[in-house]
Amino acid sequence: MRKIEICLSPDLIHRYSLENKIVVVVDIFRATSTMVTALGNGVNSILPVEDLETCRALKQKGYTIAGERNGLPAEGFELGNSPLSYLNGAFQGHQIAMTTTNGTLAIEKSKKGASEVLIGAFLNLQTTTDFILEHKEDVVILCAGWKGKFNLEDSLYAGALASKLSEHFDRDCDAVIGMSDLYLQHRNNLRPFLNQASHAKRLQNHHIEADIDFCLELDVFDVLGRLKNDLLVRF
Ligand code: MLT
């Protein structure tokens, strides 16, 4: 039977084998939600970049640059990390270079040996589920967390995806059992439950509530975000 695992922090990824597996990287608030929204609104591609200076320099090469640190837009960048910025095809046809506090680092750490790297969000949960069910590899869900620590929103998404796949996968991973249960307990009150999440509080302190609401919407985009030669493209 196919196997599914959840890695709750990028700092633990060295404990998992990604060889020939499908890796789903998730950063609900907000990196992967923003990436799915951008691809769903006609952005050509997204280049995830680890550091600010490398990303900033890509402007000279014709990229539209997007940067965020600690929830706030990075200085001198055209875009921060709000999914709302990409709605209505605002950046249709653009190639984006993006750097964020945790999400882009997690994507970098997910590449080693994986047969596929997908970006996951509640906004495209069913599309990601369908893709995985059409394939045969084992799956690892990598939560971006916060600076190496566990976070609630990514882990709940991991529980949601694992629950949707549960009939087809062997779940002998404690994180899968725990997070699936947590999701089933809170799937009907995600927003009030996640109000207490540390990064939700951080964003609320920056008056970015609208992003939180949007990132928790289910299946808004029938878009699969997939890494191809270091570029995130829609499939
Ligand atoms: C991250 O990468 O940590 C997040 O996307 C942060 C944010 O967008 O607020």
Side-chain angles (χ1 to χ4, degrees), residues 35-215:
M35 292 165 180
V36 166
T37 305
L39 293 171
N41 279 275
V43 157
N44 254 10
S45 63
I46 299 166
L47 176 64
V49 181
E50 269 188 70
D51 70 282
L52 285 167
E53 290 328 307
T54 309
C55 197
R56 206 191 296 277
L58 287 164
K59 187 170 171 48
Q60 314 315 322
K61 295 198 175 141
Y63 284 85
T64 301
I65 56 171
E68 163 277 336
R69 286 296 180 270
N70 302 312
L72 292 171
E75 208 173 314
F77 279 65
E78 291 154 281
L79 286 160
N81 198 28
S82 172
L84 308 182
S85 309
Y86 296 88
L87 293 177
N88 311 315
F91 290 88
Q92 184 145 9
H94 287 235
Q95 45 175 20
I96 308 283
M98 184 185 286
T99 182
T100 73
T101 309
N102 304 286
T104 46
L105 176 66
I107 291 170
E108 192 54 39
K109 290 196 173 189
S110 69
K111 291 177 184 171
K112 206 152 160 282
S115 65
E116 283 284 353
V117 175
L118 308 178
I119 44 168
F122 285 114
L123 295 162
N124 71 336
L125 176 61
Q126 190 58 47
T127 307
T128 304
T129 305
D130 296 343
F131 178 89
I132 291 171
L133 291 177
E134 286 154 13
H135 290 72
K136 57 181 182 1
E137 297 94 333
D138 292 345
V139 172
V140 174
I141 307 170
L142 171 57
C143 300
W146 183 259
K147 299 185 180 180
K149 291 184 186 157
F150 166 95
N151 79 15
L152 263 179
E153 61 273 18
D154 299 345
S155 310
L156 270 172
Y157 168 87
L161 181 56
S163 311
K164 288 175 89 68
L165 296 168
S166 57
E167 279 165 42
H168 310 274
F169 282 79
D170 178 346
R171 308 177 340 136
D172 65 349
C173 161
D174 290 5
V176 168
I177 297 164
M179 294 309 119
S180 301
D181 262 29
L182 189 68
Y183 174 69
L184 295 174
Q185 270 180 52
H186 293 289
R187 61 180 164 183
N188 298 320
N189 69 327
L190 273 184
R191 184 69 173 88
F193 179 65
L194 285 172
N195 255 346
Q196 57 192 326
S198 56
H199 196 46
K201 288 183 187 159
R202 201 174 286 115
L203 293 175
Q204 280 153 2
N205 292 341
H206 299 319
H207 312 295
I208 308 177
E209 288 83 359
D211 287 19
I212 299 173
D213 296 336
F214 186 77
C215 292

